[in-house]
Amino acid sequence: MCPMPLTGLEIYKQLPKTNCKDCGHPTCLAFAMALASGKASLDACPHVSDEARAVLDSAAAPPMAEITVGTGQAAVKLGGETELFRHEKRFYNPAAVAFLISDTLPEAELSARLAAIRDLVFHRVGLEYRVQMAAVKNESGQADPFKRAVAAAAGTGLALMLVTDDPKLMAAGLEAAGQNRPLLYAATETNWEAMLELAKAHPCVLAVKARGLEALAGLAQKITAAGFKDLVLDPQPTSPAQAVADLVQIRRLAVKKRFRPFGYPSLVFAGAEDPAEEALEAALYVTKYAGVVVLKNVSRAHLLPLLTWRQNLYTDPQVPIQVEEKLNEIGTPSEDSPVYVTTNFSLTYYSVQGEVEGSRIPSYILSVNTNGLSVMTAYADGRFTAEKIAQVMKKVDLESKVKHRTIVIPGAVAVLKGKLEELTGWKVLVGPREASGIPAFAKSNFAA
Ligand code: SF4
């Protein structure tokens, strides 16, 4: 078993205690406390002795390694997590979604499936959601079909996962993968030495699989003892319930106990045949706490909610998603086009944008920086005021963009109308309370 994390006082005992401040902290004790809570790196102290460094390494290392699969544009970062719960700080690297592809697929079907996976790209609230990995599985038992499927998958620009327990076939797949730095799935109790050689030689990330946490920890320990640390863990659960229990234990032991063999991202296969059930199962694993989820069914309708859920989990809870403060053009607006005002909270802005687009009247939307707060919250907080709107109207030189002098404010802040008219001399129309009312509002006010 690995050592427990050190407390601040235990770390302090190992430091030089000169309070020289070279680490950027006022005292050695303050630095020790920062180190214990993961907020500082031991490298910041240039005076720590080699013996002390050896003792402190376990406290200084992050609880879970951050691992990169793929290279360049296709690179996917996994793990690097420090918390059990999002609200404690944040989660960092969203679970990668991989789609399984058999090397027994006929040529045309293989190309169609790869194209369908590559095209699974969605745009929502100004962000792009996509599938990151193609998991090519050797089901043929032969090298040539595997190489053909891996080469075709490598051409998609996705990160790759090569699935076979046979080191000889894995070597063939690696040959076809070129410089893609795929995830090798998987090292087992019987093949790990050969798989480790391949992972070291290329070099690649190595998935380790063993049924049950004890066996998995033992195998991971053997591989890390051989000096290899780019691992992903698969506890081979026998049911979704077992998968969640295993994933939670792995994360808990890594983060709370600093159990080194589990200090790596984990991987799980969704097993359900029905696409809707599979997406639900995957959502469970994305939530608790998979680093990679492998799916079989390629379905846009089921993938969008899964990726949306993933995105919601991995945003920073302390930083609302925001759009830029600017005058946005919807369609090709002219000097006669309506002007709507809203805040720069992404969900608010894109709701308004969608409805303005739905009105089919080219328009402007002025997104006012409220630090990502929605209309009512920003108003209550004093960040969405008549003064602020007037200031932004001036900043974007709205007067030169339209020849009319009419602006639409959200119905929820109708109270700003009088003050805004007084400050700007513009006519202020009170729009609907909900964005969904915009098409009808636009039709009755601007259709002519
Ligand atoms: Fe103490 Fe090292 Fe920081 Fe100096 S640099 S205050 S010795 S921890």
Side-chain angles (χ1 to χ4, degrees), residues 74 101 114 117-118 130-134 153-160 180:
I101 299 151
L114 285 169
I117 294 167
R118 192 194 49 220
R130 59 167 64 240
V131 169
Q132 295 108 320
M133 293 173 83
T156 60
L158 295 163
L160 297 182
N180 283 30

Side-chain angles (χ1 to χ4, degrees), residues 3 67 90 168 183 189 200 285 344 425:
I67 304 288
R90 62 165 300 177
K168 282 203 184 83
L183 167 60
E189 194 55 51
K200 277 182 173 172
Y285 303 152
N344 77 329

Side-chain angles (χ1 to χ4, degrees), residues 15-23 25 27-28 31 44-47:
L15 295 177
K17 304 184 200 66
T18 58
N19 300 332
C20 70
K21 301 187 177 61
D22 287 353
C23 56
H25 292 264
T27 61
C28 292
F31 179 67
C45 173
H47 313 296

Side-chain angles (χ1 to χ4, degrees), residues 249-266:
Q249 278 296 3
I250 289 172
R251 173 70 75 89
R252 184 178 291 280
L253 286 166
V255 167
K256 293 293 177 200
K257 304 290 182 193
R258 302 276 177 121
F259 182 56
R260 293 292 172 221
F262 286 167
Y264 302 95
S266 45

Side-chain angles (χ1 to χ4, degrees), residues 398-421:
L398 190 55
E399 281 192 355
S400 72
K401 303 286 179 2
V402 289
K403 69 176 187 219
H404 62 76
R405 293 291 178 262
T406 301
I407 192 161
V408 184
I409 61 172
V413 289
V415 67
L416 300 180
K417 175 181 163 71
K419 184 74 176 171
L420 188 57
E421 285 183 335

